[in-house]
Amino acid sequence: MEGLYHDTDLEKSKEEISSIQNESIEGDEVRSFSETPINKSLDSEERVRLFSQMMRIRRFEERSLRAYQQGHIGGFLHLYIGQEAVAVGAVSVMSEDDHVITAYRDHGHALAVGMNMDECMAELLGKKTGCSKGKGGSMHFFAPDKNFWGGHGIVGGQTPLGLGIAYALKYKGTKGACLCFMGDGATNQGPFYESLNLASLWGLPVIYVIENNGYSMGTAESRHSAGEPLARRGEVFDVNWSVHHGHDLYEVRAAVHDALTLARTESKPSVLEIITYRYRGHSVADPDQTYRSKEEIEEYKKSKDPISLYKDILIKEECLTEELAQKIDQSAKEEADASAEFALASPNPDPSELMDDIYWETDNPTDRRSEGTMFFECPET
Amino acid sequence: MPLITYREALNQALSEEIARDSNVVLMGEEVAQFKGSYKVSEGMLENFGSDRIIDTPISEAAFSGLGIGAAMMGMRPVVEFMFWSFCYVAFDQIFNNAASVRYMSGGLINVPIVFRGPANGGTNVGATHSHTPENFAANTPGLKVICPATPADAKGMMKSAIRDNDPVCVMENTILYNLQGDVPEDNDLLVPLGKARLAMEGNDISIIAHGRSVHTAMEVAETLSEKHNVSAEVLDLRSIRPLDVDAIIETVRKTNRVLLVDENKPFCGVGAQISFLIQDRAFDYLDAPIKRVSAIDAPQAYSKVLENYQIPNHDRVLKKALEIL
C-alpha cells in the first residue's frame, strides 16, 4: 500500500497507540475477529444477511448515482461506497435500546437500520413518498421509529445531538447508548470537544464513531489534522478510545460491541476511529483528481474492499458460495432498480405542503394553544 | 393577587413546571449551585436536586445541542443562556437543528425545548453582551420567539413555552428582573403565545412595542397625555413569532398613526416586519407615515451615556411620536 497515505498512517498510529495504551494491537493483522464472542455467536444466516446488507447499500448508491447523472437528483449526493462495513457492522451489534445519529453521508446508516430503499430513493428525488416527504433530501434521512435520528448536514453539528440522546437515555434510566457517527473532518469542529468533555464529565453513554475515510472533503488527513490518531483526542477527556480497520466487518462489530457494553454497563463514552475509504468524491459532483490519484482509489478497491473481503471470509467459512453471492448481488440490484422506478413514478410534493411539518402546533390545529400569525408568506391558495 | 418580581415570576414558572413534569429540566451555566447568574433559579437546586437543575460547563454549543437531542427523545429541557448574546456560539444548534429537524424529518420528530435568558442592552456591558436576537430567531421558521414585558407574562408565557411542543426562545431582560407586578397564584397560569396585550387604551396614536420598550412606551404615553393632550394606545406584542397581526391592524385602524418601538437594531429588525404588515393590510387607514424608534445603528456602546442614548429612551420616543401627531 505504498503511496497510500491513509494506510501507512494507520501503521504509524498503531505504534502510537501501543506506546500510549501499553497495549499492542500489532497482532491485529493476524488476529481474527471472527473468534470474538460477538462474531462467533453469529449463525450462518446472520452472516449472510450482513453481506446482503452491505451489498444492498452499495447497489442502492450506485443506482442513486445513475439517477443523479440522469438529472433526477439535485444538490449534493454524498456516497458511502467503500465504507459499508462500518455502518452495517456497527448497527448489527445494537440492541433495541440503542440509538444512531450520523452526518450527511447517511444512506448506508439509513438502510442498515432498516429504512427501505423506496422511501430513501424517493427522498433523493425529492418526492412526496420520500422518508421526509421530499423536505430533507440526501443529507437528512430520519427514522425515529428505528432509533435513527438523522442525517445532519453541518459537519460536527450532530455531535452534541448524539450527546443529548445519550443524556435522555441515562435520565430515563434506559440501558441504551447512542452511536454518533462522524467523519474525520468533524474532529476539527469545536462542538465535538465540548461534547467529549460533557460526555466524560457526566458519564453519558455516547460512542463517537469517527469514520476516517482519509479526507475531509478534498483535504487529506495529513493536511487537516495534527496529532494522529484522531481517536486519541478522547484521551485528554479520559474517554476510552481505539482505532480499528473499517474494511473488516468482524472487527467493526467487535469494537462497537465492546464500546456499547462499556456504555451500557458503566455509562461511559468512547471514541472509536474506524479507518475506511470512500471510492467516490466527497459529493458526486466533486472532482477526485485534485487531491488523490486514480491509482490510490483502485488500490483500495483491490485490496481493502469491505464487501469483497467479507465475501471471501464467508466463502471460507462455508456460509456462502459464489453462486449465492451473485444471487444476493442480483437481488440487491433489482431492489435498487425497483426503488428508482418507484421514486420516478412517485408524485412530487405540492407547494401547499411547504407549510406542513414546520411546527407541531400548525400541524395539529385543533390542539393549538398559541394564537396569532405563524407564517408570513405562504403559497397562494 | 401577590406582588412579585419578574425574576420571582420566572422562578415560579420554572419550579411549577419542573414539579409538574418529570421531563422538564433546567440546565445552563451557573443555574444550580450559583443559583443563576441573575438568581432566577434561586432555591431550585435545593428543591429539585442536581438531576433537574444542572450546571453545565461554558459550552453553549454542546449543552444547547444536548438539550435538542434530549428534546428529540421526548424530554422538555429548558436551556438557559446567561445572556442571549452567548447563543451566537451555539447558532448552528439552535438555528439549524432545533429549528429544522421537524421539517427535515417530514414531521416525524418534535423538538419541545425552551431556550431562555436575557436579551437586552442598557446594562453597560458593551457590544458582545447586549444583543437582542429576537429578529434572528423570528426570521427562522421552526422557532417561536417571545419577549415578556411584565411579571405576569414572564410566568404565564414561560409556562406556555415549556408546555409547547415546538422550540421556543424566551427573551427576558435583566433590567426587568426586579420589576414588580401582580401575578396570579395559579399553577395553570398559561398566557398563550401570539396574543398581544393592550397595555393602554388611546385614540390618537398607537405605540407598538415589545420587551422593556413597552415600559418606555408607557412612560411616553403618560407624557403625551399630561403635556400634549394626546391619547396614546400602547400595544405590547409579547410574542414575536407567532405574531398577533390582528391586534396590530386593529390598533392602526383605530388611531391611524403608528410608532414602533423596540431595542432591535433597525435593519431587518422586528419593526421592519411590522411596518411592512401595516402598509400591506392597513395602508388606507394611515394618516401619517409609520415611524420607528429602534436602537441606534451601531454596535452596542459601553459608555453609559452613549448607551442610554443608543437604546430607545423616553425623549427619543416622545420626539418621534410628536413628529407624526
Side-chain angles (χ1 to χ4, degrees):
Chain A
M1 300 301 289
E2 213 180 279
L4 211 171
Y5 161 77
H6 199 43
D7 260 278
T8 44
D9 202 63
L10 177 57
E11 299 308 316
K12 187 178 130 204
S13 70
K14 276 191 213 160
E15 286 170 25
E16 290 181 24
I17 296 160
S18 50
S19 66
I20 292 161
Q21 294 191 313
N22 197 24
E23 180 189 6
S24 173
I25 65 163
E26 287 297 312
D28 273 9
E29 294 299 336
V30 289
R31 184 179 162 200
S32 169
F33 286 90
S34 62
E35 292 306 309
T36 56
I38 187 67
N39 290 319
K40 227 175 163 181
S41 67
L42 284 169
D43 66 27
S44 178
E45 201 179 311
E46 287 164 333
R47 285 166 204 248
V48 173
R49 197 182 316 127
L50 295 173
F51 173 75
S52 165
Q53 280 188 2
M54 289 200 285
M55 203 49 125
R56 288 177 64 244
I57 292 169
R58 181 157 302 179
R59 297 308 179 215
F60 171 83
E61 291 214 298
E62 286 170 349
R63 185 63 190 83
S64 72
L65 174 60
R66 247 184 25 244
Y68 186 94
Q69 288 160 340
Q70 290 163 344
H72 299 303
I73 297 175
F76 302 129
L77 187 69
H78 306 95
L79 296 181
Y80 196 62
I81 298 174
Q83 302 185 205
E84 294 90 342
V86 186
V88 169
V91 169
S92 70
V93 294
M94 283 168 58
S95 80
E96 60 181 20
D97 289 330
D98 299 322
H99 293 252
V100 186
I101 190 165
T102 187
Y104 47 82
R105 199 177 303 286
D106 62 352
H107 311 160
H109 309 80
L111 293 176
V113 301
M115 290 177 74
N116 72 58
M117 285 194 194
D118 284 359
E119 60 179 332
C120 292
M121 191 67 86
E123 187 61 30
L124 295 180
L125 270 71
K127 295 299 183 79
K128 192 184 171 103
T129 52
C131 50
S132 296
K133 307 176 193 168
K135 289 170 175 173
S138 163
M139 301 186 282
H140 311 116
F141 287 1
F142 295 86
D145 62 327
K146 297 179 173 64
N147 293 358
F148 179 57
W149 300 95
H152 293 270
I154 304 297
V155 173
Q158 79 283 15
T159 54
L161 299 182
L163 187 71
I165 291 165
Y167 166 78
L169 289 169
K170 187 173 183 182
Y171 181 85
K172 292 176 181 224
T174 311
K175 279 279 168 210
C178 180
L179 292 176
C180 182
F181 291 89
M182 54 191 283
D184 45 305
T187 62
N188 292 321
Q189 286 279 34
F192 174 50
Y193 297 99
E194 295 185 17
S195 299
L196 277 181
N197 179 51
L198 268 167
S200 182
L201 189 69
W202 292 359
L204 298 180
V206 60
I207 297 149
Y208 289 105
V209 182
I210 305 168
E211 297 192 61
N212 183 350
N213 63 24
Y215 297 93
S216 97
M217 203 169 163
T219 306
E221 189 183 336
S222 60
R223 297 175 58 233
H224 73 61
S225 284
E228 289 147 358
L230 299 175
R232 196 179 63 182
R233 296 179 181 192
E235 180 83 18
V236 292
F237 299 104
D238 289 333
V239 173
N240 295 279
W241 62 274
S242 51
V243 185
H244 306 275
H245 304 88
H247 56 262
D248 181 346
L249 181 87
Y250 286 156
E251 181 172 351
V252 173
R253 279 173 50 85
V256 176
H257 172 75
D258 289 350
L260 280 171
T261 304
L262 186 71
R264 283 190 206 116
T265 55
E266 297 180 46
S267 198
K268 278 190 178 165
S270 300
V271 178
L272 303 181
E273 179 178 354
I274 316 256
I275 305 297
T276 181
Y277 197 77
R278 68 169 147 77
Y279 297 171
R280 309 296 309 192
H282 163 71
S283 174
V284 293
D286 298 335
D288 253 344
Q289 307 301 312
T290 57
Y291 61 91
R292 60 178 180 177
S293 66
K294 253 188 193 155
E295 292 71 31
E296 180 185 301
I297 302 169
E298 288 311 313
E299 180 60 32
Y300 206 95
K301 283 184 186 173
K302 210 167 74 191
S303 62
K304 294 278 174 71
D305 184 72
I307 300 182
S308 308
L309 290 173
Y310 188 53
K311 187 179 89 175
D312 294 345
I313 289 171
L314 290 188
I315 289 173
K316 217 160 90 190
E317 289 174 344
E318 297 181 349
C319 300
L320 189 69
T321 60
E322 273 292 350
E323 197 188 0
L324 181 56
Q326 268 176 24
K327 245 188 190 165
I328 290 169
D329 187 3
Q330 189 55 34
S331 153
K333 279 180 186 156
E334 284 166 11
E335 189 186 355
D337 283 341
S339 76
E341 277 171 36
F342 169 82
L344 283 164
S346 288
N348 284 312
D350 187 82
S352 66
E353 291 165 46
L354 269 171
M355 311 315 290
D356 297 337
D357 310 315
I358 303 173
Y359 296 99
W360 179 89
E361 268 204 321
T362 44
D363 287 345
N364 297 276
T366 52
D367 295 321
R368 183 176 171 182
R369 283 193 288 244
S370 79
E371 300 177 20
T373 302
M374 202 77 88
F375 302 119
F376 296 84
E377 186 81 33
C378 297
E380 284 176 21
T381 48
Chain B
M1 214 185 293
L3 195 66
I4 62 170
T5 63
Y6 188 105
R7 172 188 287 111
E8 287 163 338
L10 289 171
N11 185 299
Q12 282 185 8
L14 294 165
S15 298
E16 287 170 12
E17 294 307 302
I18 285 170
R20 177 181 174 268
D21 182 350
S22 65
N23 281 314
V24 181
V25 295
L26 173 68
M27 61 176 69
E29 293 151 7
E30 312 295 355
V31 298
Q33 274 197 352
F34 200 85
K35 305 176 194 302
S37 258
Y38 288 95
K39 307 297 174 214
V40 167
S41 46
E42 188 153 28
M44 289 176 65
L45 174 64
E46 292 77 0
N47 287 340
F48 300 107
S50 56
D51 283 348
R52 310 294 296 283
I53 312 297
I54 304 155
D55 278 329
T56 65
I58 302 176
S59 305
E60 283 85 359
F63 68 72
S64 299
L66 184 152
I68 297 162
M72 289 161 64
M73 295 282 284
M75 290 185 67
R76 291 180 177 275
V78 178
V79 170
E80 175 176 312
F81 294 122
M82 193 182 291
F83 296 88
W84 261 101
S85 293
F86 300 171
C87 87
Y88 292 14
V89 293
F91 213 85
D92 175 47
Q93 296 303 321
I94 305 162
F95 290 81
N96 269 322
N97 292 341
S100 307
V101 158
R102 185 164 209 282
Y103 198 64
M104 295 193 304
S105 66
L108 293 175
I109 300 169
N110 296 315
V111 186
I113 191 169
V114 169
F115 298 107
R116 57 157 290 268
N120 59 283
T123 54
N124 205 208
V125 289
T128 55
H129 286 54
S130 305
H131 290 285
T132 54
E134 62 264 32
N135 56 330
F136 294 3
N139 189 247
T140 307
L143 299 179
K144 295 175 179 173
V145 200
I146 59 173
C147 302
T150 66
D153 284 353
K155 180 170 177 182
M157 295 180 80
M158 177 65 77
K159 285 168 71 79
S160 291
I162 294 170
R163 296 190 199 183
D164 201 286
N165 290 332
D166 295 309
V168 183
C169 302
V170 184
M171 306 218 176
E172 304 158 10
N173 189 309
T174 52
I175 297 173
L176 297 181
Y177 280 152
N178 282 331
L179 179 78
Q180 287 196 317
D182 291 326
V183 179
E185 269 183 299
D186 178 1
N187 266 1
D188 286 313
L189 176 71
L190 298 170
V191 175
L193 313 188
K195 175 92 182 133
R197 179 180 67 96
L198 200 55
M200 182 183 285
E201 282 199 60
N203 298 309
D204 303 329
I205 183 172
S206 300
I207 307 179
I208 302 174
H210 67 269
R212 184 180 165 225
S213 294
V214 171
H215 302 283
T216 311
M218 293 292 281
E219 289 162 19
V220 170
E222 300 284 347
T223 308
L224 283 170
S225 167
E226 285 166 16
K227 298 194 174 155
H228 302 275
N229 197 30
V230 168
S231 156
E233 180 146 300
V234 176
L235 186 70
D236 172 4
L237 291 176
R238 287 169 147 173
S239 171
I240 310 302
R241 187 169 187 155
L243 183 69
D244 194 343
V245 176
D246 291 345
I248 293 169
I249 301 307
E250 193 179 328
T251 186
V252 174
R253 287 181 173 193
K254 181 178 172 190
T255 68
N256 314 115
R257 290 167 206 277
V258 188
L259 177 62
L260 308 174
V261 185
D262 71 61
E263 253 191 60
N264 248 185
K265 297 295 191 288
F267 195 95
C268 300
V270 171
Q273 172 66 20
I274 292 170
S275 176
F276 165 78
L277 286 166
I278 293 170
Q279 68 76 33
D280 189 44
R281 310 242 186 128
F283 185 76
D284 290 337
Y285 289 87
L286 288 172
D287 287 343
I290 302 163
K291 291 287 177 184
R292 169 177 71 170
V293 181
S294 66
I296 299 281
D297 204 8
Q300 204 81 2
Y302 164 71
S303 155
K304 210 166 197 158
V305 173
L306 286 180
E307 197 190 16
N308 286 345
Y309 182 78
Q310 184 171 22
I311 57 177
N313 59 42
H314 175 274
D315 293 351
R316 277 179 58 216
V317 175
L318 177 66
K319 185 163 173 275
K320 199 67 94 175
L322 293 172
E323 283 178 21
I324 52 170
L325 281 163

